[in-house]
């Protein structure tokens, strides 16, 4: 019941936060130099006043700023993200077209990094000080420090250009028209490099955090008690230490999950992954206001959603949190 | 040397055996960068749209690499002696991709109604046109108010794409649902567009030119990262890298691969010409001596060899040597730092910094700006590089907020279409980056530009344009840099990929793949 009320109040706050984000982003975007009409005219390689005026009128940019803002916010309140004049379709449709590709990529990366990170962290903490621990922490540091962009290019160079094992980029084999299982396998093959590239960084973070947290918790009195009770090492680690050590990892996982929609811009660009991060980036360059605001709002909604989910997970992992509030 | 070898080989091959027959079938994967905002060529005319939609839509004419008109939708044409009446005889039996008949009414609708409203560049030329009439279903007549020398050059796909009247008449063009599935008369039909991944075109089986096209299908691939595009070509994912789709320093590596060819042809009609606008209104750049000093300070051969990997030519003035009406009888600005310093001393340059605005089109342009900064610093000019993105660049140049700004413009086959727009006073208009942005005013030359556009005789035009070039090069309204060359890189088993002066936009029409 407590949890239910807490969630309800969070949702109410979330709606206000979203509106505030929409307004703030609207101001920020319009403060950037140039507008979509100028960009479109610029791309045409020729323009006269008539053309720019026509475009501005069509885009509604000829209206006073507060009218544009008011219309936009009114639209948002009715779940209408507006129309992308550049792409010639409703923003919600554009986002829905791109969302699946992004989610496949980011969710895969999320689960790989979380699973592997925790597992390796636990393993390293159990062997603390030994060679295998040093090897794991060094590797983690390396992954943590490597710029994503560079790692991606190197992965392509090694696994696609030199070894020829995996496709270098793209979502699936273009023009192969696979269906069913063949298509799933094809997409999975294309998914390996981008998902690993995207996942390695977070895997390193989770591993280091799990390891540190495990070591800290393993010094606590209740662990000694458990040992004194005669419990085995593995059981202590899993049921006693890990359960207490996992909270900071959950916090971080909540943060990463918030980036599921908008956090893969670089990976999507290098691997030509037709996702939403690229849509956002390209729309920004084109000053396609509605599209980029739409992506921002969906991303913001995801962040808020995962914050709420994280809070719920806290309560499950550590029931004391619910009791205290 | 390579050229010699190839030539010898070709001659030998030609002697040894009759030319291999053109083979039908196959698929071509071509990079398109960036992803076009739309494919309805009548509404959107940016580079990528022209490249893809150039296979779907057609113009009345095409142009060879010497810029002579060739048949397109029109199989023949006549121009009256007074230069006022252009009559086009259209191909018989042409059908739109949806099966409707193509007729002279479509041409009249496109030129007189649709494009007048949507196409800014054509609108400027249509100002000379009095009437456009369909004489019969296969004959169209354009009557001009006064002679307009370059008029024969406005019938190319990107300039005057013929759009289907039956789909657009009486509708709101911008929101017409047909825009999502473009219907043209061209050699390829639109099939599918997976946003962010590819555009798929398929062979138009009913194409009116017997035997064309040879290819079964064309995929235009969207790959947003330049390094990934190079990899895509290396791994065989794509077969053609159109000009500008990889960074210049990757070009030598790719062309050195086995079975890879490249050509600089196919851009003659556009003849991209690069310069820096110099703000003629204020700051040091308002002084003619300063502008001349900039020209002498720049080592443009170095820029060509290093920044552009040897592709292109150093520009001598406003007109590209690749187009007609070019004249080399002008003051040549060599790399002469001493002369530049002397000019700066003469004008009393006080070290006021100038802002250089690079073109935000990738690493090459950034490096070019750095080369300029170094050259200018060598003669004592203080330079600040003012980096921005595409929208910011458009905004700043359109509102004259710069001292030196990189740009390049297409010449469209004739100075009256692609050159004069940057130099005449009537084209000084805030709000657009495609006109006289530098603010150059020279009434005497304005009169000459105007006259040269309306002369009928080509010889008279040549003489007048030569005069203009000689004078304007001394004034240095802008710092001319280079005639750019964007090599098309492709696999050698693809033949006839670039056959015309607009080859970048109609390549797949004639192309065939040798098995």
């Amino acid at each position: 019941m407590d949890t239910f009320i807490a969630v309800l109040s969070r949702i109410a706050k979330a709606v206000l936060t979203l509106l505030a984000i929409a307004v703030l982003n609207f101001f920020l975007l319009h403060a950037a130099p140039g507008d979509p009409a100028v960009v479109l005219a610029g791309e045409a390689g020729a323009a006269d006043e008539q053309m720019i005026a026509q475009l501005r009128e069509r885009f509604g940019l000829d209206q006073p700023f507060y009218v544009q803002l008011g219309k936009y916010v009114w639209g948002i309140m009715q779940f209408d993200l507006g129309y992308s004049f550049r792409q010639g379709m409703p923003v919600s449709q554009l986002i829905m077209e791109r969302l699946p590709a992004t989610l496949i990529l980011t969710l895969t990366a999320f689960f790989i990094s979380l699973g592997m990170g925790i597992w390796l962290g636990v393993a390293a903490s159990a062997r603390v000080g030994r060679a295998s621990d040093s090897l794991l922490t060094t590797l983690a540091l390396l992954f943590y420090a490597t710029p994503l962009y560079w790692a991606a290019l190197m992965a392509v160079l090694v696994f696609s250009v030199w070894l020829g094992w995996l496709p270098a980029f793209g979502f699936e084999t273009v023009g192969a028209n696979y269906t069913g299982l063949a298509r799933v396998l094809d997409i999975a093959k294309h998914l390996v490099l981008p998902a690993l590239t995207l996942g390695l960084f977070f895997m390193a973070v989770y591993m280091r955090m799990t390891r540190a947290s495990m070591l800290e918790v393993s010094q606590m009195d209740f662990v000694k008690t458990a040992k004194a009770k005669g419990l085995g090492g593995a059981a202590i680690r899993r049921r006693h230490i890990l359960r207490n050590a996992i909270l900071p990892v959950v916090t971080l996982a909540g943060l990463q999950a918030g980036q599921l929609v908008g956090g893969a811009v670089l990976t999507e660009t290098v691997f030509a992954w037709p996702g939403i991060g690229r849509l956002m980036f390209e729309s920004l360059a084109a000053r396609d206001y509605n599209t980029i605001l739409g992506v921002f709002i969906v991303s913001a909604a995801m962040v808020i959603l995962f914050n709420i989910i994280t809070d719920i997970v806290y309560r499950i992992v550590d029931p004391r949190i619910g009791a205290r509030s | 040397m390579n050229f010699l070898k190839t030539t010898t080989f070709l001659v030998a091959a030609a002697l040894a055996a009759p030319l291999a027959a053109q083979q039908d079938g196959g698929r071509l994967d071509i990079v398109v960068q960036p992803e076009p905002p739309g494919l309805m060529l009548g509404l959107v005319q940016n580079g990528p749209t022209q490249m893809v939609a150039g296979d779907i839509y057609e113009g009345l004419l095409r142009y060879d690499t010497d810029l002579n008109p060739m048949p397109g939708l029109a199989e023949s044409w006549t121009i009256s002696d007074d230069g006022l009446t252009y009559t086009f005889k259209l191909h018989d039996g042409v059908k739109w991709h949806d099966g409707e008949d193509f007729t002279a009414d479509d041409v009249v609708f496109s030129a007189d109604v649709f494009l007048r409203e949507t196409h800014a560049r054509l609108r400027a030329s249509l100002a000379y046109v009095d009437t456009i009439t369909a004489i019969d279903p296969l004959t169209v007549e354009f009557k001009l108010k006064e002679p307009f020398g370059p008029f024969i050059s406005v019938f190319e796909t990107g300039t005057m794409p013929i759009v289907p009247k039956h789909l657009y008449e009486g509708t709101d063009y911008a929101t017409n649902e047909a825009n999502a599935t473009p219907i043209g008369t061209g050699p390829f039909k639109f099939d599918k567009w997976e946003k962010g991944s590819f555009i798929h075109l398929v062979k138009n089986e009913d194409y009116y030119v017997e035997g064309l096209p040879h290819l079964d299908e064309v995929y235009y691939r969207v790959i947003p990262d330049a390094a990934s595009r190079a990899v895509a070509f290396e791994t065989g994912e794509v077969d053609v890298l159109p000009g500008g789709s990889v960074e210049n320093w990757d070009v030598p590596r790719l062309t050195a691969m086995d079975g890879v060819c490249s050509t600089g042809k196919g851009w003659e009609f556009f003849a991209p010409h690069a310069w820096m606008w110099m703000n003629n209104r204020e700051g040091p750049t308002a002084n003619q001596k300063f502008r001349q000093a900039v020209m002498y300070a720049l080592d443009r051969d170095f820029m060509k060899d290093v920044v552009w990997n040897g592709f292109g030519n150093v520009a001598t003035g406003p007109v590209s040597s690749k187009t007609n009406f070019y004249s080399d009888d002008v003051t040549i600005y060599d790399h002469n730092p001493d002369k530049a310093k002397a000019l700066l001393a003469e004008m009393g340059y006080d070290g006021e910094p100038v802002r250089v605005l690079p073109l935000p089109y990738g690493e090459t342009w950034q490096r070019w700006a750095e080369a300029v900064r170094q050259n200018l610093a060598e003669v004592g000019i203080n330079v600040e590089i003012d980096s921005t993105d595409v929208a910011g660049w458009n905004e700043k140049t359109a509102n004259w907020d710069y001292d030196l700004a990189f740009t390049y413009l297409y010449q469209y086959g004739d100075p009256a279409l692609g050159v004069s727009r940057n130099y005449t006073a009537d084209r000084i208009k805030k709000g657009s980056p495609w006109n006289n942005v530098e603010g150059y005013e020279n009434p005497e030359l304005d009169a000459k530009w105007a006259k040269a556009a309306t002369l009928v005789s080509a010889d008279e035009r040549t003489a007048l344009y030569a005069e203009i070039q000689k004078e304007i090069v001394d004034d240095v309204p802008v710092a001319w840099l280079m005639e750019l060359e964007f090599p098309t890189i492709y696999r050698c088993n693809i033949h006839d990929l670039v056959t015309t002066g607009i080859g970048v936009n109609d390549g797949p029409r004639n192309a065939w793949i040798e098995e």
Side-chain angles (χ1 to χ4, degrees):
Chain A
M1 193 58 203
D2 266 1
T3 308
F4 182 68
I5 290 169
V7 168
L8 268 191
S9 91
R10 286 298 297 271
I11 289 176
K13 282 182 205 157
V15 172
L16 287 177
T17 315
L18 267 184
L19 278 180
I21 286 170
V23 173
L24 196 68
N25 282 330
F26 195 87
F27 275 100
L28 271 178
L29 268 185
H30 284 259
D35 68 31
V38 169
V39 174
L40 265 183
E43 286 173 340
D48 48 16
E49 299 101 289
Q50 185 186 344
M51 177 174 174
I52 302 233
Q54 269 174 359
L55 288 173
R56 292 224 166 98
E57 193 191 328
R58 179 140 58 89
F59 299 169
L61 295 170
D62 55 339
Q63 293 166 342
F65 186 74
Y66 62 89
V67 176
Q68 295 180 43
L69 177 63
K71 275 188 177 166
Y72 190 76
V73 172
W74 181 240
I76 295 293
M77 291 205 277
Q78 301 166 41
F79 298 99
D80 176 9
L81 293 178
Y83 190 81
S84 166
F85 294 99
R86 184 181 173 81
Q87 311 252 10
M89 59 168 87
V91 171
S92 50
Q93 193 186 334
L94 262 176
I95 292 179
M96 287 317 290
E97 265 182 19
R98 297 292 193 96
L99 200 55
T102 291
L103 285 180
I104 289 174
L105 172 63
T106 51
L107 282 175
T108 311
F110 178 71
F111 286 117
I112 291 179
S113 59
L114 193 60
M116 293 285 290
I118 292 176
W119 181 58
L120 289 175
V122 171
S125 74
R127 293 166 182 73
V128 62
R130 281 193 256 159
S132 51
D133 170 43
S134 305
L135 180 72
L136 282 175
T137 39
T138 311
L139 274 181
L141 192 66
L142 187 72
F143 292 148
Y144 180 66
T146 311
L148 197 62
Y149 193 81
W150 186 83
L153 285 176
M154 287 306 116
V156 168
L157 200 61
V158 173
F159 294 105
S160 305
V161 180
W162 290 350
L163 298 173
W165 290 351
L166 293 164
F169 58 84
F171 180 71
E172 56 188 319
T173 307
V174 167
N177 295 323
Y178 291 128
T179 50
L181 188 64
R183 180 158 186 236
V184 172
L185 285 176
D186 185 49
I187 294 177
K189 249 170 81 181
H190 283 81
L191 183 63
V192 175
L193 284 182
L196 277 184
T197 312
L198 188 61
L200 275 182
F201 172 82
F202 273 101
M203 186 184 89
V205 174
Y206 292 137
M207 189 205 129
R208 289 166 57 83
M209 187 159 272
T210 309
R211 179 179 173 277
S213 186
M214 290 283 288
L215 289 177
E216 192 187 322
V217 175
S218 65
Q219 306 297 321
M220 291 191 172
D221 288 344
F222 71 89
V223 179
K224 283 183 197 136
T225 311
K227 276 185 191 155
K229 279 198 299 188
L231 283 176
I236 294 178
R237 271 202 297 282
R238 200 175 58 243
R239 302 225 323 254
H240 295 262
I241 307 181
L242 181 59
R243 187 127 186 222
N244 282 285
I246 201 88
L247 275 184
V249 179
V250 171
T251 311
L252 206 70
L255 282 179
Q256 189 198 353
Q259 295 179 18
L260 284 174
V261 172
V265 179
L266 271 182
T267 318
E268 286 179 4
T269 304
V270 175
F271 291 102
W273 196 262
I276 219 161
R278 267 172 62 197
L279 178 70
M280 175 169 77
F281 183 69
E282 283 156 16
S283 306
L284 182 64
R287 300 289 189 272
D288 186 352
Y289 294 143
N290 284 351
T291 306
I292 185 150
L293 282 171
V295 176
F296 280 167
I297 285 171
V298 172
S299 309
M302 288 296 268
V303 172
I304 291 170
L305 176 70
F306 278 97
N307 276 343
I308 296 175
I309 294 179
T310 311
D311 281 357
I312 298 172
V313 173
Y314 277 159
R315 283 156 196 265
I316 296 166
V317 175
D318 187 348
R320 287 172 300 178
I321 291 174
R324 248 186 262 129
S325 60
Chain B
M1 190 60 214
N2 253 338
F3 170 72
L4 268 182
K5 260 196 268 174
T6 321
T7 320
T8 326
F9 169 72
L10 281 179
V11 172
L15 290 175
L19 262 164
Q22 295 162 352
Q23 293 170 337
D24 279 349
R27 144 184 177 181
L28 214 51
D29 284 70
I30 305 176
V31 161
V32 59
Q33 165 60 27
E35 185 163 21
L39 290 179
M40 202 316 173
L41 194 52
L43 296 173
V44 193
Q45 292 102 27
N46 74 347
T49 300
Q50 287 198 39
M51 191 166 88
V52 179
D55 302 332
I56 303 170
Y57 293 96
E58 291 184 303
L60 292 180
L61 300 177
R62 303 181 304 135
Y63 300 87
D64 68 17
T65 49
D66 295 321
L67 305 182
N68 300 309
M70 294 159 75
L73 279 170
E75 58 180 15
S76 64
W77 55 96
T78 54
I79 307 172
S80 65
D81 290 337
D82 58 5
L84 288 176
T85 310
Y86 288 66
T87 314
F88 292 88
K89 195 88 197 143
L90 305 177
H91 249 289
D92 198 4
V94 178
K95 288 204 183 305
W96 292 101
H97 293 160
D98 60 2
E100 296 281 325
D101 285 328
F102 158 82
T103 69
D105 287 337
D106 290 307
V107 179
V108 175
F109 171 75
S110 301
D112 215 16
V113 185
F114 191 100
L115 297 172
R116 257 189 213 280
E117 190 178 319
T118 60
H119 199 313
R121 184 156 52 82
L122 182 65
R123 190 153 51 220
S125 299
L126 287 177
Y128 291 88
V129 175
D130 190 20
T131 58
I132 306 172
T133 15
I135 306 284
D136 63 54
L138 292 178
T139 315
V140 185
E141 183 189 80
F142 291 74
K143 270 204 179 300
L144 306 193
K145 294 174 196 156
E146 56 178 326
F148 183 51
F151 195 63
I152 194 64
S153 301
V154 306
F155 297 97
E156 160 273 336
T157 329
T159 312
M160 195 192 284
I162 304 303
V163 301
K165 181 181 180 186
H166 64 277
L167 292 177
Y168 285 95
E169 190 178 32
T171 67
D172 176 18
Y173 307 144
T175 56
N176 192 314
E177 280 182 9
N179 296 339
T181 51
I183 297 288
T185 55
F188 291 91
K189 297 192 210 185
F190 173 84
D191 174 51
K192 189 176 180 193
W193 185 356
E194 289 271 348
K195 290 265 166 78
S197 289
F198 63 86
I199 300 165
H200 184 213
L201 307 183
V202 295
K203 179 177 186 167
N204 176 6
E205 300 283 355
D206 302 318
Y207 193 54
Y208 56 89
V209 181
E210 190 62 35
L212 289 184
H214 300 294
L215 301 168
D216 286 337
E217 51 184 345
V218 180
Y219 282 92
Y220 282 97
R221 305 283 296 270
V222 181
I223 305 169
D225 180 60
S228 304
R229 290 194 288 275
V231 167
F233 187 77
E234 278 178 287
T235 57
E237 272 282 317
V238 299
D239 313 303
V240 180
L241 294 172
S245 48
V246 292
E247 296 286 0
N248 282 325
W249 56 83
D250 275 334
V251 172
R253 179 167 60 92
L254 297 174
T255 49
M257 288 166 53
D258 279 344
V260 171
C261 293
S262 75
T263 176
K265 285 188 188 298
W267 289 86
E268 291 81 359
F269 182 81
F270 306 105
H273 209 64
W275 63 81
M276 283 187 295
W277 279 309
M278 298 198 273
N279 201 329
N280 284 220
R281 303 173 189 86
E282 54 187 13
T285 47
N287 189 316
Q288 184 191 1
K289 290 210 169 63
F290 184 89
R291 300 199 299 268
Q292 287 174 338
V294 168
M295 287 301 281
Y296 283 117
L298 298 177
D299 187 353
R300 295 179 293 164
D301 282 308
F302 169 85
M303 295 168 186
K304 178 192 144 186
D305 291 339
V306 175
V307 180
W308 287 90
N309 280 77
F311 295 108
N313 300 302
V314 169
T316 56
V319 179
S320 169
S321 66
K322 295 201 176 93
T323 64
N324 305 320
F325 308 113
Y326 167 76
S327 160
D328 60 1
D329 179 23
V330 295
T331 307
I332 300 294
Y333 295 94
D334 52 343
H335 179 223
N336 192 337
D338 292 333
K339 212 164 183 177
K341 281 182 201 158
L343 281 162
L344 290 174
E346 211 178 303
M347 70 163 274
Y349 173 61
D350 58 359
E352 185 184 341
V354 291
R355 293 164 299 162
V356 172
L357 191 65
L359 201 55
Y361 284 1
E363 198 59 32
T364 300
W365 293 87
Q366 195 63 38
R367 293 184 182 194
W368 205 354
E370 279 156 20
V372 164
R373 170 163 65 181
Q374 192 177 338
N375 277 163
L376 295 184
E378 278 159 9
V379 299
I381 298 175
N382 290 321
V383 176
E384 290 163 7
I385 290 188
D386 183 12
S387 291
T388 176
D389 68 351
V390 173
W393 181 91
N394 278 301
E395 176 84 7
K396 283 181 184 211
T397 50
N399 292 309
W400 310 335
D401 179 18
Y402 70 95
D403 293 313
L404 295 167
F406 277 87
T407 189
Y408 74 92
L409 245 59
Y410 290 166
Q411 304 232 317
Y412 294 115
D414 195 291
L417 297 177
V419 180
S420 65
R421 58 176 169 161
N422 188 49
Y423 303 102
T424 56
D426 62 327
R427 301 300 295 268
I428 300 180
K429 275 172 191 154
K430 231 181 192 166
S432 161
W434 308 110
N435 54 30
N436 186 344
V437 168
E438 75 274 12
Y440 175 63
E441 286 183 69
N442 185 336
E444 222 172 283
L445 278 187
D446 284 356
K448 288 185 184 173
W449 286 112
K451 191 171 168 216
T454 52
L455 283 174
V456 181
S457 145
D459 292 340
E460 284 173 26
R461 295 189 72 203
T462 308
L464 196 50
Y465 279 125
E467 233 173 83
I468 293 173
Q469 287 172 67
K470 197 167 170 54
E471 274 180 55
I472 205 167
V473 167
D474 287 331
D475 266 353
V476 206
V478 304
W480 295 288
L481 296 170
M482 278 176 61
E483 298 168 359
L484 300 178
E485 189 171 307
F486 301 119
T488 303
I489 304 172
Y490 60 99
R491 305 206 190 277
C492 297
N493 66 341
I494 305 165
H495 298 275
D496 296 337
L497 181 64
V498 177
T499 51
T500 66
I502 52 171
V504 284
N505 297 339
D506 69 355
R509 179 184 191 267
N510 294 312
W512 55 282
I513 300 172
E514 188 183 331
E515 289 300 322

